[in-house]
Amino acid sequence: PKCEDFLITTSPSLSSGSHLVCSLVDRHPDWRIINLDNLDYCCSPRSLESVEDRANYTFIRGDVCNSRLVNHIFNTENIDVIFHLAAKTHVERSFETPSSFQRVNIDGTRVLLGAAHQARHQPQRFIYVSTDEVYGASLDQVFDESSPVRPSNPYSATKAAAEYLVQSYWDKYKFPIIITRSNNIYGPRQYTEKVIPRFLTLLQRNKKCTIQGTLPKSRHFLFVDDAINAFLLVLEKGIVGEIYNMGTSCEIPIMQLARELVTMVKKVPDSEVQDWLEFVPDRPHVDLRYPITCEKLQQLGWRAEVSWAEGIRQTVKWYQVHPDFWSDASEDQEQIQSQLEKAE
């Protein structure tokens, strides 16, 4: 589609949100990129410093659930494409506060869909960024886009519910939606609640990597640059109404991940790696693995090009160069939060 104006709702803890914004701003100076973000605890404005002064970039601080704000954006701008990445994503937190996940992930999607569908300038694409976790766990079955959806925690349940909302706008109105379901995206600037930056942050503070439980959990890791290329290819060549898995064959056991990071950060011999690992009680209802196939996306011409060795090298190097990136952001957010609480 011929595109000019984008609205991107970002969730920077995924790192892919800010990377997608920066990539679009850099690659397409003739496109106008509007970024709507609530600046939640897992966000740092520093993630977007490289583009904040660009003529083709606009940042709006706001809540995707705020229907007056979202409707105003669609009534005053000519939005051609929506990338909807805004979501609460942390599985453990979803068990603690499921209502907040329902609000952001389901209600936010409903508000955005309604505003986009009713806009005077009709969007050409609404791309909803979902997760492989909607399939639930599997030990041996590999999921494709037609596999049944069986979410196993409040986070993935809200993402699946949002998918059904998005799909309903295609079924009823032929509103031009596309859904992506991706493996774990990793890379620079990812918030420290995710496993790779969590291990790196612990090691930088001379603390041990905490391994949850004793079962052999693993994850498929997709480097953020490959994810961004997949999003842009889906925009260019994806078929409306379809779902695309964004996957990688790079499956890393969490134990192996921890050992690799200890070796890279602490530079200790193999005999001492175990000294930097600590086993802690497992979290509830943890899924062991999420294997997906992405042949459908590959048929459009996509391949994951960044090897695990190169992707993790770049990621570790970034966290070593920016050790205080997220600690500073956390302090800023605590200050902001306390000010907001006092204001109420």
Side-chain angles (χ1 to χ4, degrees):
K2 184 179 183 299
C3 312
E4 291 179 354
D5 287 13
F6 284 66
L7 175 66
I8 305 178
T9 69
T10 56
S11 176
S13 70
L14 294 172
S15 82
S16 52
S18 62
H19 282 267
L20 177 60
V21 169
C22 293
S23 178
L24 286 169
V25 171
D26 285 335
R27 295 188 197 185
H28 299 283
D30 54 325
W31 293 358
R32 183 150 174 268
I33 313 303
I34 301 169
N35 176 18
L36 174 64
D37 196 295
N38 204 25
L39 294 185
D40 203 350
Y41 73 94
C42 58
C43 163
S44 171
R46 295 169 63 186
S47 296
L48 295 157
E49 279 179 341
S50 66
V51 298
E52 62 186 7
D53 295 326
R54 299 290 183 86
N56 64 330
Y57 174 66
T58 301
F59 176 77
I60 300 173
R61 180 171 185 178
D63 188 344
V64 72
C65 299
N66 182 340
S67 57
R68 287 183 64 184
L69 170 63
V70 174
N71 283 324
H72 175 74
I73 293 171
F74 279 95
N75 287 333
T76 54
E77 306 287 349
N78 295 326
I79 305 295
D80 296 307
V81 174
I82 301 99
F83 274 102
H84 181 27
L85 294 92
K88 284 186 172 289
T89 65
H90 196 255
V91 172
E92 283 179 86
R93 287 178 188 267
S94 76
F95 280 102
E96 295 162 7
T97 58
S99 60
S100 66
F101 280 70
Q102 291 169 24
R103 177 183 176 275
V104 174
N105 297 359
I106 301 175
D107 289 350
T109 301
R110 174 184 55 78
V111 167
L112 196 63
L113 272 169
H117 175 246
Q118 293 167 13
R120 54 177 179 74
H121 177 87
Q122 277 296 288
Q124 298 173 46
R125 293 291 184 274
F126 184 107
I127 298 173
Y128 179 67
V129 177
S130 190
T131 169
D132 57 3
E133 293 197 36
V134 298
Y135 294 116
S138 171
L139 289 179
D140 45 22
Q141 179 191 359
V142 177
F143 300 120
D144 65 22
E145 291 83 354
S146 64
S147 298
V149 170
R150 292 173 178 156
S152 59
N153 58 65
Y155 158 60
S156 55
T158 60
K159 293 295 285 185
E163 281 194 18
Y164 284 125
L165 270 176
V166 172
Q167 193 73 45
S168 72
Y169 273 70
W170 167 251
D171 294 338
K172 182 169 176 59
Y173 303 113
K174 288 296 177 272
F175 188 65
I177 64 96
I178 296 175
I179 294 170
T180 67
R181 295 171 177 161
S182 70
N183 284 149
N184 283 35
I185 297 173
Y186 76 100
R189 305 202 299 267
Q190 190 172 37
Y191 185 61
T192 54
E193 69 185 4
K194 303 300 180 183
V195 64
I196 292 175
R198 179 165 67 84
F199 283 168
L200 288 173
T201 302
L202 287 168
L203 292 170
Q204 286 174 339
R205 295 175 180 174
N206 284 318
K207 295 180 179 177
K208 297 180 180 184
C209 294
T210 51
I211 313 288
Q212 294 175 323
T214 55
L215 292 174
K217 292 178 281 291
S218 65
R219 291 292 179 264
H220 292 76
F221 289 104
L222 179 64
F223 191 61
V224 66
D225 290 0
D226 285 326
I228 301 311
N229 288 335
F231 288 141
L232 297 181
L233 184 65
V234 165
L235 170 63
E236 181 187 357
K237 295 185 177 179
I239 299 170
V240 293
E242 294 291 325
I243 299 169
Y244 293 91
N245 283 346
M246 289 168 43
T248 168
S249 59
C250 175
E251 182 174 10
I252 307 292
I254 299 301
M255 177 69 77
Q256 178 189 329
L257 169 66
R259 295 181 69 89
E260 280 191 41
L261 294 179
V262 169
T263 303
M264 294 175 76
V265 174
K266 291 300 176 185
K267 303 192 183 328
V268 296
D270 288 348
S271 59
E272 295 178 24
V273 168
Q274 201 70 21
D275 298 340
W276 289 94
L277 307 181
E278 178 183 359
F279 291 91
V280 298
D282 212 345
R283 69 191 191 194
H285 309 293
V286 66
D287 293 331
L288 297 184
R289 59 195 296 264
Y290 304 103
I292 62 174
T293 177
C294 53
E295 289 178 15
K296 195 168 166 182
L297 183 61
Q298 289 171 344
Q299 287 170 4
L300 298 183
W302 179 83
R303 293 288 184 279
E305 295 178 358
V306 181
S307 69
W308 169 251
E310 176 58 20
I312 199 64
R313 185 195 68 78
Q314 287 187 35
T315 303
V316 170
K317 182 178 179 182
W318 185 89
Y319 282 91
Q320 289 173 331
V321 172
H322 304 89
D324 299 323
F325 186 88
W326 283 113
S327 59
D328 290 354
S330 299
E331 289 163 16
D332 291 345
Q333 289 303 327
E334 284 171 19
Q335 275 188 320
I336 291 167
Q337 193 59 41
S338 68
Q339 287 168 0
L340 289 173
E341 286 167 2
K342 285 175 187 172
E344 292 169 359

